[in-house]
Amino acid sequence: MPSEAPAISFRPVEAADFELLGSWMQTPHWLEWWGEPAVELAHIRDMVEGRDTTRPFLFLVEGKPAGYIQYWFIGHHQNETWVKDHPWLMELPADTIGVDLSIGDAQNLSRGIGTAALTAFVAKLRKEGFENIVIDPDPKNARAVRAYEKAGFRPIPELERHVGDGVLLMRLADGGAVPPGAGA
């Protein structure tokens, strides 16, 4: 008998969560893919305090914090500062949102939690009216790329060479292949 999917929920990050996030950011699986912990935590603090438009959340499994997930607005990053290092941003519709996530505790890696959290988050975002959703993992992070593909994200073929240090994946409503021109 297959096991039931865990109950996933989300809540906005609050100042009281900074200590937990800071402890996660010190672990090897975070250090490998995220930046300097103090800098990353300062970015999240800016989000929580309204100086950054990115929306940060904890995702919870069975009511307990299990990881971090955020969404950001592509249109807010279609400016000279961001585009000089990430020209692919201009290839997407301005109403596209980007998603980033990380599992909190390493013991939860490779257990399907990232896929389940991302699938549930996409459903939440769709209910809020977001249609174009992308994620841009480092292609060397094979575990993340697999998890995102299991959640229905697919490569945008015409942007593969333009992303630089990431692979750009888009989530379609039906989970199918990204059609030609989707990144235009």
Side-chain angles (χ1 to χ4, degrees):
M1 177 179 229
S3 63
E4 286 187 36
I8 305 282
S9 59
F10 306 93
R11 71 169 176 75
V13 170
E14 303 169 346
D17 299 317
F18 294 159
E19 184 176 339
L20 173 63
L21 287 166
S23 69
W24 286 344
M25 290 176 183
Q26 299 293 325
T27 61
H29 73 283
W30 277 70
L31 290 168
E32 185 174 7
W33 306 113
W34 290 70
E36 161 62 34
V39 172
E40 294 295 342
L41 197 55
H43 289 310
I44 295 172
R45 183 174 283 112
D46 285 347
M47 296 170 204
V48 170
E49 294 175 359
R51 291 183 296 275
D52 184 315
T53 61
T54 302
R55 305 291 195 264
F57 295 85
L58 289 182
F59 64 85
L60 300 96
V61 175
E62 306 296 341
K64 295 181 180 150
Y68 174 78
I69 194 163
Q70 66 184 23
Y71 71 91
W72 53 282
F73 301 91
I74 296 289
H76 295 182
H77 292 80
Q78 290 176 326
N79 59 58
E80 187 177 330
T81 302
W82 281 89
V83 170
K84 71 178 179 183
D85 292 327
H86 310 286
W88 57 268
L89 288 166
M90 296 307 292
E91 301 295 325
L92 296 169
D95 64 351
T96 302
I97 58 170
V99 176
D100 303 293
L101 77 114
S102 192
I103 301 293
D105 190 332
Q107 73 181 4
N108 289 325
L109 293 170
S110 299
R111 295 183 56 208
I113 293 171
T115 298
L118 186 55
T119 300
F121 199 61
V122 166
K124 169 187 168 14
L125 294 171
R126 293 265 189 246
K127 285 181 187 172
E128 293 175 14
F130 296 106
E131 291 296 321
N132 299 312
I133 303 170
V134 297
I135 196 162
D136 63 334
D138 186 306
K140 294 180 292 258
N141 190 346
R143 178 179 27 237
V145 172
R146 270 192 316 275
Y148 305 159
E149 288 175 342
K150 287 179 185 177
F153 283 80
R154 301 291 178 259
I156 304 174
E158 66 267 24
L159 293 183
E160 284 185 85
R161 295 179 310 194
H162 303 292
V163 178
D165 63 353
V167 57
L168 190 62
L169 307 171
M170 179 175 269
R171 177 66 164 88
L172 300 176
D174 66 2
V178 176

mmCIF file of all heavy atoms in Angstrom, residues 106-155:
data_model
loop_
_atom_site.group_PDB
_atom_site.id
_atom_site.type_symbol
_atom_site.label_atom_id
_atom_site.label_comp_id
_atom_site.label_asym_id
_atom_site.label_seq_id
_atom_site.Cartn_x
_atom_site.Cartn_y
_atom_site.Cartn_z
ATOM 1 N N ALA A 106 18.937 18.121 6.750
ATOM 2 C CA ALA A 106 19.511 17.194 5.764
ATOM 3 C C ALA A 106 18.897 15.799 5.832
ATOM 4 O O ALA A 106 18.846 15.098 4.825
ATOM 5 C CB ALA A 106 21.026 17.106 5.942
ATOM 6 N N GLN A 107 18.404 15.390 6.977
ATOM 7 C CA GLN A 107 17.799 14.053 7.072
ATOM 8 C C GLN A 107 16.538 13.937 6.218
ATOM 9 O O GLN A 107 16.080 12.834 5.929
ATOM 10 C CB GLN A 107 17.493 13.683 8.518
ATOM 11 C CG GLN A 107 16.306 14.420 9.103
ATOM 12 C CD GLN A 107 16.039 14.050 10.546
ATOM 13 O OE1 GLN A 107 16.780 13.291 11.141
ATOM 14 N NE2 GLN A 107 14.975 14.601 11.105
ATOM 15 N N ASN A 108 15.993 15.069 5.773
ATOM 16 C CA ASN A 108 14.798 15.064 4.931
ATOM 17 C C ASN A 108 15.104 15.138 3.439
ATOM 18 O O ASN A 108 14.180 15.195 2.621
ATOM 19 C CB ASN A 108 13.855 16.204 5.335
ATOM 20 C CG ASN A 108 13.198 15.929 6.667
ATOM 21 O OD1 ASN A 108 12.885 14.785 6.985
ATOM 22 N ND2 ASN A 108 13.005 16.973 7.447
ATOM 23 N N LEU A 109 16.383 15.144 3.080
ATOM 24 C CA LEU A 109 16.744 15.160 1.665
ATOM 25 C C LEU A 109 16.400 13.818 1.019
ATOM 26 O O LEU A 109 16.449 12.772 1.684
ATOM 27 C CB LEU A 109 18.240 15.433 1.501
ATOM 28 C CG LEU A 109 18.725 16.822 1.916
ATOM 29 C CD1 LEU A 109 20.245 16.881 1.928
ATOM 30 C CD2 LEU A 109 18.146 17.890 1.003
ATOM 31 N N SER A 110 16.058 13.864 -0.259
ATOM 32 C CA SER A 110 15.779 12.657 -1.058
ATOM 33 C C SER A 110 14.641 11.813 -0.490
ATOM 34 O O SER A 110 14.633 10.584 -0.640
ATOM 35 C CB SER A 110 17.053 11.808 -1.203
ATOM 36 O OG SER A 110 18.055 12.549 -1.858
ATOM 37 N N ARG A 111 13.657 12.471 0.117
ATOM 38 C CA ARG A 111 12.494 11.766 0.660
ATOM 39 C C ARG A 111 11.200 12.220 -0.016
ATOM 40 O O ARG A 111 10.121 11.864 0.431
ATOM 41 C CB ARG A 111 12.420 11.983 2.166
ATOM 42 C CG ARG A 111 13.615 11.347 2.883
ATOM 43 C CD ARG A 111 13.567 11.474 4.380
ATOM 44 N NE ARG A 111 12.330 10.919 4.912
ATOM 45 C CZ ARG A 111 11.775 11.337 6.030
ATOM 46 N NH1 ARG A 111 12.332 12.293 6.749
ATOM 47 N NH2 ARG A 111 10.657 10.788 6.467
ATOM 48 N N GLY A 112 11.326 13.054 -1.062
ATOM 49 C CA GLY A 112 10.136 13.523 -1.771
ATOM 50 C C GLY A 112 9.500 14.761 -1.176
ATOM 51 O O GLY A 112 8.492 15.253 -1.689
ATOM 52 N N ILE A 113 10.088 15.284 -0.109
ATOM 53 C CA ILE A 113 9.502 16.448 0.558
ATOM 54 C C ILE A 113 9.605 17.694 -0.314
ATOM 55 O O ILE A 113 8.666 18.480 -0.403
ATOM 56 C CB ILE A 113 10.148 16.662 1.946
ATOM 57 C CG1 ILE A 113 9.754 15.502 2.863
ATOM 58 C CG2 ILE A 113 9.747 18.001 2.550
ATOM 59 C CD1 ILE A 113 10.483 15.456 4.181
ATOM 60 N N GLY A 114 10.742 17.886 -0.989
ATOM 61 C CA GLY A 114 10.898 19.052 -1.861
ATOM 62 C C GLY A 114 9.889 19.038 -2.997
ATOM 63 O O GLY A 114 9.260 20.061 -3.298
ATOM 64 N N THR A 115 9.707 17.878 -3.619
ATOM 65 C CA THR A 115 8.727 17.752 -4.693
ATOM 66 C C THR A 115 7.327 18.035 -4.170
ATOM 67 O O THR A 115 6.555 18.778 -4.787
ATOM 68 C CB THR A 115 8.788 16.341 -5.322
ATOM 69 O OG1 THR A 115 10.088 16.149 -5.882
ATOM 70 C CG2 THR A 115 7.740 16.169 -6.405
ATOM 71 N N ALA A 116 6.985 17.450 -3.019
ATOM 72 C CA ALA A 116 5.655 17.656 -2.441
ATOM 73 C C ALA A 116 5.432 19.124 -2.077
ATOM 74 O O ALA A 116 4.361 19.688 -2.342
ATOM 75 C CB ALA A 116 5.470 16.768 -1.207
ATOM 76 N N ALA A 117 6.444 19.758 -1.479
ATOM 77 C CA ALA A 117 6.310 21.166 -1.092
ATOM 78 C C ALA A 117 6.162 22.050 -2.327
ATOM 79 O O ALA A 117 5.310 22.953 -2.354
ATOM 80 C CB ALA A 117 7.508 21.608 -0.259
ATOM 81 N N LEU A 118 6.971 21.793 -3.347
ATOM 82 C CA LEU A 118 6.902 22.619 -4.550
ATOM 83 C C LEU A 118 5.563 22.424 -5.263
ATOM 84 O O LEU A 118 4.951 23.389 -5.727
ATOM 85 C CB LEU A 118 8.074 22.295 -5.479
ATOM 86 C CG LEU A 118 8.214 23.171 -6.718
ATOM 87 C CD1 LEU A 118 8.288 24.655 -6.368
ATOM 88 C CD2 LEU A 118 9.452 22.756 -7.512
ATOM 89 N N THR A 119 5.089 21.200 -5.335
ATOM 90 C CA THR A 119 3.786 20.925 -5.969
ATOM 91 C C THR A 119 2.677 21.668 -5.233
ATOM 92 O O THR A 119 1.819 22.305 -5.859
ATOM 93 C CB THR A 119 3.521 19.405 -5.992
ATOM 94 O OG1 THR A 119 4.567 18.773 -6.745
ATOM 95 C CG2 THR A 119 2.175 19.088 -6.602
ATOM 96 N N ALA A 120 2.688 21.602 -3.900
ATOM 97 C CA ALA A 120 1.665 22.298 -3.111
ATOM 98 C C ALA A 120 1.796 23.817 -3.245
ATOM 99 O O ALA A 120 0.787 24.531 -3.304
ATOM 100 C CB ALA A 120 1.769 21.881 -1.638
ATOM 101 N N PHE A 121 3.032 24.324 -3.314
ATOM 102 C CA PHE A 121 3.248 25.765 -3.440
ATOM 103 C C PHE A 121 2.752 26.256 -4.794
ATOM 104 O O PHE A 121 2.119 27.304 -4.876
ATOM 105 C CB PHE A 121 4.730 26.081 -3.246
ATOM 106 C CG PHE A 121 5.023 27.512 -2.896
ATOM 107 C CD1 PHE A 121 4.524 28.083 -1.738
ATOM 108 C CD2 PHE A 121 5.836 28.282 -3.711
ATOM 109 C CE1 PHE A 121 4.813 29.400 -1.394
ATOM 110 C CE2 PHE A 121 6.135 29.602 -3.382
ATOM 111 C CZ PHE A 121 5.624 30.157 -2.224
ATOM 112 N N VAL A 122 3.020 25.482 -5.849
ATOM 113 C CA VAL A 122 2.519 25.847 -7.174
ATOM 114 C C VAL A 122 0.996 25.908 -7.155
ATOM 115 O O VAL A 122 0.397 26.835 -7.707
ATOM 116 C CB VAL A 122 3.044 24.879 -8.259
ATOM 117 C CG1 VAL A 122 2.271 25.024 -9.565
ATOM 118 C CG2 VAL A 122 4.533 25.111 -8.501
ATOM 119 N N ALA A 123 0.345 24.942 -6.515
ATOM 120 C CA ALA A 123 -1.124 24.952 -6.422
ATOM 121 C C ALA A 123 -1.600 26.217 -5.703
ATOM 122 O O ALA A 123 -2.576 26.855 -6.136
ATOM 123 C CB ALA A 123 -1.615 23.697 -5.704
ATOM 124 N N LYS A 124 -0.919 26.581 -4.633
ATOM 125 C CA LYS A 124 -1.257 27.811 -3.890
ATOM 126 C C LYS A 124 -1.089 29.034 -4.798
ATOM 127 O O LYS A 124 -1.965 29.908 -4.843
ATOM 128 C CB LYS A 124 -0.340 27.914 -2.664
ATOM 129 C CG LYS A 124 -0.361 29.228 -1.911
ATOM 130 C CD LYS A 124 0.723 29.229 -0.842
ATOM 131 C CE LYS A 124 1.041 30.515 -0.172
ATOM 132 N NZ LYS A 124 0.178 31.625 -0.305
ATOM 133 N N LEU A 125 0.025 29.099 -5.517
ATOM 134 C CA LEU A 125 0.278 30.239 -6.397
ATOM 135 C C LEU A 125 -0.734 30.306 -7.536
ATOM 136 O O LEU A 125 -1.181 31.400 -7.913
ATOM 137 C CB LEU A 125 1.702 30.175 -6.943
ATOM 138 C CG LEU A 125 2.814 30.336 -5.908
ATOM 139 C CD1 LEU A 125 4.176 30.030 -6.528
ATOM 140 C CD2 LEU A 125 2.789 31.715 -5.285
ATOM 141 N N ARG A 126 -1.111 29.171 -8.076
ATOM 142 C CA ARG A 126 -2.125 29.149 -9.139
ATOM 143 C C ARG A 126 -3.448 29.712 -8.620
ATOM 144 O O ARG A 126 -4.114 30.470 -9.314
ATOM 145 C CB ARG A 126 -2.331 27.726 -9.656
ATOM 146 C CG ARG A 126 -1.134 27.168 -10.382
ATOM 147 C CD ARG A 126 -1.269 27.373 -11.874
ATOM 148 N NE ARG A 126 -0.211 26.643 -12.554
ATOM 149 C CZ ARG A 126 0.756 27.232 -13.238
ATOM 150 N NH1 ARG A 126 0.795 28.529 -13.341
ATOM 151 N NH2 ARG A 126 1.687 26.518 -13.829
ATOM 152 N N LYS A 127 -3.824 29.320 -7.394
ATOM 153 C CA LYS A 127 -5.066 29.844 -6.801
ATOM 154 C C LYS A 127 -5.002 31.352 -6.623
ATOM 155 O O LYS A 127 -6.019 32.027 -6.639
ATOM 156 C CB LYS A 127 -5.345 29.175 -5.454
ATOM 157 C CG LYS A 127 -5.849 27.768 -5.582
ATOM 158 C CD LYS A 127 -6.125 27.170 -4.221
ATOM 159 C CE LYS A 127 -6.469 25.704 -4.364
ATOM 160 N NZ LYS A 127 -6.572 25.040 -3.069
ATOM 161 N N GLU A 128 -3.797 31.876 -6.438
ATOM 162 C CA GLU A 128 -3.614 33.320 -6.280
ATOM 163 C C GLU A 128 -3.529 34.028 -7.632
ATOM 164 O O GLU A 128 -3.364 35.238 -7.687
ATOM 165 C CB GLU A 128 -2.363 33.597 -5.452
ATOM 166 C CG GLU A 128 -2.497 33.146 -4.009
ATOM 167 C CD GLU A 128 -1.231 33.309 -3.199
ATOM 168 O OE1 GLU A 128 -0.290 34.010 -3.638
ATOM 169 O OE2 GLU A 128 -1.173 32.713 -2.104
ATOM 170 N N GLY A 129 -3.600 33.267 -8.732
ATOM 171 C CA GLY A 129 -3.646 33.866 -10.063
ATOM 172 C C GLY A 129 -2.343 33.891 -10.838
ATOM 173 O O GLY A 129 -2.285 34.461 -11.922
ATOM 174 N N PHE A 130 -1.286 33.275 -10.307
ATOM 175 C CA PHE A 130 -0.010 33.259 -11.021
ATOM 176 C C PHE A 130 0.003 32.124 -12.032
ATOM 177 O O PHE A 130 -0.273 30.979 -11.692
ATOM 178 C CB PHE A 130 1.164 33.114 -10.046
ATOM 179 C CG PHE A 130 1.303 34.276 -9.108
ATOM 180 C CD1 PHE A 130 0.949 34.149 -7.775
ATOM 181 C CD2 PHE A 130 1.774 35.498 -9.562
ATOM 182 C CE1 PHE A 130 1.073 35.224 -6.905
ATOM 183 C CE2 PHE A 130 1.910 36.574 -8.708
ATOM 184 C CZ PHE A 130 1.547 36.435 -7.372
ATOM 185 N N GLU A 131 0.323 32.435 -13.277
ATOM 186 C CA GLU A 131 0.340 31.432 -14.342
ATOM 187 C C GLU A 131 1.751 31.008 -14.712
ATOM 188 O O GLU A 131 2.017 29.835 -14.871
ATOM 189 C CB GLU A 131 -0.376 31.974 -15.587
ATOM 190 C CG GLU A 131 -1.879 32.139 -15.393
ATOM 191 C CD GLU A 131 -2.589 30.812 -15.153
ATOM 192 O OE1 GLU A 131 -2.224 29.809 -15.807
ATOM 193 O OE2 GLU A 131 -3.488 30.783 -14.310
ATOM 194 N N ASN A 132 2.644 31.962 -14.910
ATOM 195 C CA ASN A 132 4.015 31.678 -15.348
ATOM 196 C C ASN A 132 4.919 31.558 -14.125
ATOM 197 O O ASN A 132 5.175 32.542 -13.438
ATOM 198 C CB ASN A 132 4.534 32.792 -16.258
ATOM 199 C CG ASN A 132 3.700 32.947 -17.499
ATOM 200 O OD1 ASN A 132 3.386 31.977 -18.173
ATOM 201 N ND2 ASN A 132 3.321 34.173 -17.810
ATOM 202 N N ILE A 133 5.401 30.347 -13.879
ATOM 203 C CA ILE A 133 6.220 30.083 -12.699
ATOM 204 C C ILE A 133 7.495 29.388 -13.158
ATOM 205 O O ILE A 133 7.443 28.383 -13.863
ATOM 206 C CB ILE A 133 5.466 29.195 -11.689
ATOM 207 C CG1 ILE A 133 4.137 29.861 -11.296
ATOM 208 C CG2 ILE A 133 6.335 28.914 -10.467
ATOM 209 C CD1 ILE A 133 3.212 28.968 -10.484
ATOM 210 N N VAL A 134 8.647 29.941 -12.753
ATOM 211 C CA VAL A 134 9.931 29.357 -13.125
ATOM 212 C C VAL A 134 10.762 29.081 -11.879
ATOM 213 O O VAL A 134 10.519 29.638 -10.807
ATOM 214 C CB VAL A 134 10.741 30.261 -14.093
ATOM 215 C CG1 VAL A 134 10.001 30.453 -15.407
ATOM 216 C CG2 VAL A 134 11.088 31.597 -13.466
ATOM 217 N N ILE A 135 11.750 28.212 -12.065
ATOM 218 C CA ILE A 135 12.722 27.924 -11.022
ATOM 219 C C ILE A 135 14.054 27.732 -11.729
ATOM 220 O O ILE A 135 14.092 27.242 -12.856
ATOM 221 C CB ILE A 135 12.283 26.693 -10.183
ATOM 222 C CG1 ILE A 135 13.055 26.611 -8.875
ATOM 223 C CG2 ILE A 135 12.354 25.410 -10.991
ATOM 224 C CD1 ILE A 135 12.396 25.728 -7.828
ATOM 225 N N ASP A 136 15.148 28.161 -11.105
ATOM 226 C CA ASP A 136 16.445 28.148 -11.793
ATOM 227 C C ASP A 136 17.554 27.530 -10.944
ATOM 228 O O ASP A 136 18.486 28.193 -10.530
ATOM 229 C CB ASP A 136 16.827 29.561 -12.245
ATOM 230 C CG ASP A 136 17.007 30.531 -11.084
ATOM 231 O OD1 ASP A 136 16.401 30.325 -10.017
ATOM 232 O OD2 ASP A 136 17.768 31.493 -11.247
ATOM 233 N N PRO A 137 17.473 26.206 -10.723
ATOM 234 C CA PRO A 137 18.523 25.563 -9.919
ATOM 235 C C PRO A 137 19.855 25.505 -10.649
ATOM 236 O O PRO A 137 19.913 25.584 -11.878
ATOM 237 C CB PRO A 137 17.968 24.144 -9.727
ATOM 238 C CG PRO A 137 17.159 23.907 -10.960
ATOM 239 C CD PRO A 137 16.514 25.245 -11.248
ATOM 240 N N ASP A 138 20.899 25.339 -9.885
ATOM 241 C CA ASP A 138 22.216 25.074 -10.456
ATOM 242 C C ASP A 138 22.137 23.702 -11.120
ATOM 243 O O ASP A 138 21.659 22.737 -10.500
ATOM 244 C CB ASP A 138 23.268 25.070 -9.335
ATOM 245 C CG ASP A 138 24.679 24.954 -9.851
ATOM 246 O OD1 ASP A 138 24.953 24.003 -10.619
ATOM 247 O OD2 ASP A 138 25.508 25.782 -9.473
ATOM 248 N N PRO A 139 22.562 23.566 -12.367
ATOM 249 C CA PRO A 139 22.456 22.266 -13.039
ATOM 250 C C PRO A 139 23.266 21.158 -12.364
ATOM 251 O O PRO A 139 22.970 19.978 -12.541
ATOM 252 C CB PRO A 139 22.968 22.539 -14.457
ATOM 253 C CG PRO A 139 23.724 23.801 -14.379
ATOM 254 C CD PRO A 139 23.177 24.582 -13.218
ATOM 255 N N LYS A 140 24.257 21.529 -11.539
ATOM 256 C CA LYS A 140 25.030 20.525 -10.809
ATOM 257 C C LYS A 140 24.255 19.968 -9.607
ATOM 258 O O LYS A 140 24.643 18.960 -9.034
ATOM 259 C CB LYS A 140 26.363 21.107 -10.356
ATOM 260 C CG LYS A 140 27.290 21.451 -11.532
ATOM 261 C CD LYS A 140 28.614 22.018 -11.071
ATOM 262 C CE LYS A 140 28.482 23.341 -10.462
ATOM 263 N NZ LYS A 140 28.785 24.552 -11.094
ATOM 264 N N ASN A 141 23.154 20.615 -9.255
ATOM 265 C CA ASN A 141 22.323 20.149 -8.146
ATOM 266 C C ASN A 141 21.277 19.172 -8.700
ATOM 267 O O ASN A 141 20.094 19.485 -8.813
ATOM 268 C CB ASN A 141 21.661 21.340 -7.448
ATOM 269 C CG ASN A 141 20.979 20.943 -6.154
ATOM 270 O OD1 ASN A 141 20.757 19.763 -5.881
ATOM 271 N ND2 ASN A 141 20.638 21.947 -5.359
ATOM 272 N N ALA A 142 21.765 18.004 -9.071
ATOM 273 C CA ALA A 142 20.908 17.004 -9.730
ATOM 274 C C ALA A 142 19.703 16.612 -8.880
ATOM 275 O O ALA A 142 18.612 16.392 -9.404
ATOM 276 C CB ALA A 142 21.730 15.765 -10.080
ATOM 277 N N ARG A 143 19.881 16.542 -7.563
ATOM 278 C CA ARG A 143 18.770 16.177 -6.675
ATOM 279 C C ARG A 143 17.640 17.197 -6.815
ATOM 280 O O ARG A 143 16.474 16.841 -6.939
ATOM 281 C CB ARG A 143 19.268 16.098 -5.232
ATOM 282 C CG ARG A 143 18.175 15.768 -4.253
ATOM 283 C CD ARG A 143 18.605 15.647 -2.793
ATOM 284 N NE ARG A 143 19.763 16.394 -2.418
ATOM 285 C CZ ARG A 143 20.857 15.856 -1.876
ATOM 286 N NH1 ARG A 143 20.935 14.569 -1.670
ATOM 287 N NH2 ARG A 143 21.872 16.618 -1.534
ATOM 288 N N ALA A 144 17.986 18.492 -6.827
ATOM 289 C CA ALA A 144 16.969 19.537 -6.950
ATOM 290 C C ALA A 144 16.317 19.500 -8.328
ATOM 291 O O ALA A 144 15.092 19.584 -8.439
ATOM 292 C CB ALA A 144 17.584 20.906 -6.692
ATOM 293 N N VAL A 145 17.127 19.374 -9.372
ATOM 294 C CA VAL A 145 16.567 19.348 -10.735
ATOM 295 C C VAL A 145 15.571 18.197 -10.856
ATOM 296 O O VAL A 145 14.462 18.384 -11.375
ATOM 297 C CB VAL A 145 17.685 19.249 -11.797
ATOM 298 C CG1 VAL A 145 17.097 19.033 -13.184
ATOM 299 C CG2 VAL A 145 18.556 20.505 -11.775
ATOM 300 N N ARG A 146 15.916 17.017 -10.351
ATOM 301 C CA ARG A 146 14.988 15.867 -10.395
ATOM 302 C C ARG A 146 13.705 16.167 -9.630
ATOM 303 O O ARG A 146 12.604 15.867 -10.098
ATOM 304 C CB ARG A 146 15.650 14.622 -9.803
ATOM 305 C CG ARG A 146 16.404 13.778 -10.788
ATOM 306 C CD ARG A 146 16.780 12.408 -10.210
ATOM 307 N NE ARG A 146 17.308 12.432 -8.855
ATOM 308 C CZ ARG A 146 18.578 12.650 -8.536
ATOM 309 N NH1 ARG A 146 19.468 12.886 -9.470
ATOM 310 N NH2 ARG A 146 18.962 12.643 -7.277
ATOM 311 N N ALA A 147 13.842 16.741 -8.445
ATOM 312 C CA ALA A 147 12.662 17.048 -7.629
ATOM 313 C C ALA A 147 11.746 18.033 -8.353
ATOM 314 O O ALA A 147 10.524 17.876 -8.347
ATOM 315 C CB ALA A 147 13.082 17.608 -6.268
ATOM 316 N N TYR A 148 12.336 19.041 -8.986
ATOM 317 C CA TYR A 148 11.536 20.054 -9.671
ATOM 318 C C TYR A 148 10.857 19.468 -10.904
ATOM 319 O O TYR A 148 9.716 19.801 -11.222
ATOM 320 C CB TYR A 148 12.389 21.260 -10.040
ATOM 321 C CG TYR A 148 13.114 21.880 -8.857
ATOM 322 C CD1 TYR A 148 14.242 22.670 -9.049
ATOM 323 C CD2 TYR A 148 12.702 21.664 -7.538
ATOM 324 C CE1 TYR A 148 14.919 23.234 -7.969
ATOM 325 C CE2 TYR A 148 13.377 22.215 -6.466
ATOM 326 C CZ TYR A 148 14.486 22.997 -6.687
ATOM 327 O OH TYR A 148 15.155 23.549 -5.622
ATOM 328 N N GLU A 149 11.550 18.583 -11.591
ATOM 329 C CA GLU A 149 10.930 17.920 -12.747
ATOM 330 C C GLU A 149 9.777 17.032 -12.294
ATOM 331 O O GLU A 149 8.734 16.983 -12.947
ATOM 332 C CB GLU A 149 11.973 17.132 -13.534
ATOM 333 C CG GLU A 149 12.908 18.047 -14.306
ATOM 334 C CD GLU A 149 14.047 17.335 -15.016
ATOM 335 O OE1 GLU A 149 14.354 16.164 -14.668
ATOM 336 O OE2 GLU A 149 14.627 17.955 -15.927
ATOM 337 N N LYS A 150 9.936 16.357 -11.157
ATOM 338 C CA LYS A 150 8.839 15.536 -10.626
ATOM 339 C C LYS A 150 7.637 16.406 -10.252
ATOM 340 O O LYS A 150 6.501 15.938 -10.267
ATOM 341 C CB LYS A 150 9.305 14.748 -9.403
ATOM 342 C CG LYS A 150 10.219 13.594 -9.735
ATOM 343 C CD LYS A 150 10.646 12.886 -8.464
ATOM 344 C CE LYS A 150 11.655 11.805 -8.748
ATOM 345 N NZ LYS A 150 12.120 11.160 -7.494
ATOM 346 N N ALA A 151 7.899 17.665 -9.907
ATOM 347 C CA ALA A 151 6.821 18.603 -9.563
ATOM 348 C C ALA A 151 6.209 19.247 -10.811
ATOM 349 O O ALA A 151 5.357 20.126 -10.698
ATOM 350 C CB ALA A 151 7.338 19.684 -8.611
ATOM 351 N N GLY A 152 6.659 18.817 -12.003
ATOM 352 C CA GLY A 152 6.053 19.296 -13.243
ATOM 353 C C GLY A 152 6.775 20.415 -13.944
ATOM 354 O O GLY A 152 6.288 20.940 -14.944
ATOM 355 N N PHE A 153 7.952 20.794 -13.468
ATOM 356 C CA PHE A 153 8.725 21.843 -14.135
ATOM 357 C C PHE A 153 9.487 21.232 -15.304
ATOM 358 O O PHE A 153 9.977 20.105 -15.213
ATOM 359 C CB PHE A 153 9.696 22.516 -13.161
ATOM 360 C CG PHE A 153 9.027 23.494 -12.248
ATOM 361 C CD1 PHE A 153 8.335 23.057 -11.131
ATOM 362 C CD2 PHE A 153 9.074 24.849 -12.501
ATOM 363 C CE1 PHE A 153 7.704 23.955 -10.289
ATOM 364 C CE2 PHE A 153 8.447 25.754 -11.665
ATOM 365 C CZ PHE A 153 7.755 25.306 -10.560
ATOM 366 N N ARG A 154 9.590 21.983 -16.401
ATOM 367 C CA ARG A 154 10.265 21.516 -17.609
ATOM 368 C C ARG A 154 11.210 22.594 -18.126
ATOM 369 O O ARG A 154 10.948 23.787 -17.967
ATOM 370 C CB ARG A 154 9.246 21.193 -18.708
ATOM 371 C CG ARG A 154 8.228 20.117 -18.327
ATOM 372 C CD ARG A 154 8.907 18.747 -18.201
ATOM 373 N NE ARG A 154 7.975 17.716 -17.790
ATOM 374 C CZ ARG A 154 7.865 17.232 -16.550
ATOM 375 N NH1 ARG A 154 8.633 17.693 -15.593
ATOM 376 N NH2 ARG A 154 7.003 16.287 -16.276
ATOM 377 N N PRO A 155 12.306 22.195 -18.782
ATOM 378 C CA PRO A 155 13.240 23.179 -19.348
ATOM 379 C C PRO A 155 12.561 24.050 -20.409
ATOM 380 O O PRO A 155 11.641 23.613 -21.095
ATOM 381 C CB PRO A 155 14.325 22.324 -19.997
ATOM 382 C CG PRO A 155 14.213 20.988 -19.350
ATOM 383 C CD PRO A 155 12.759 20.822 -18.996
#
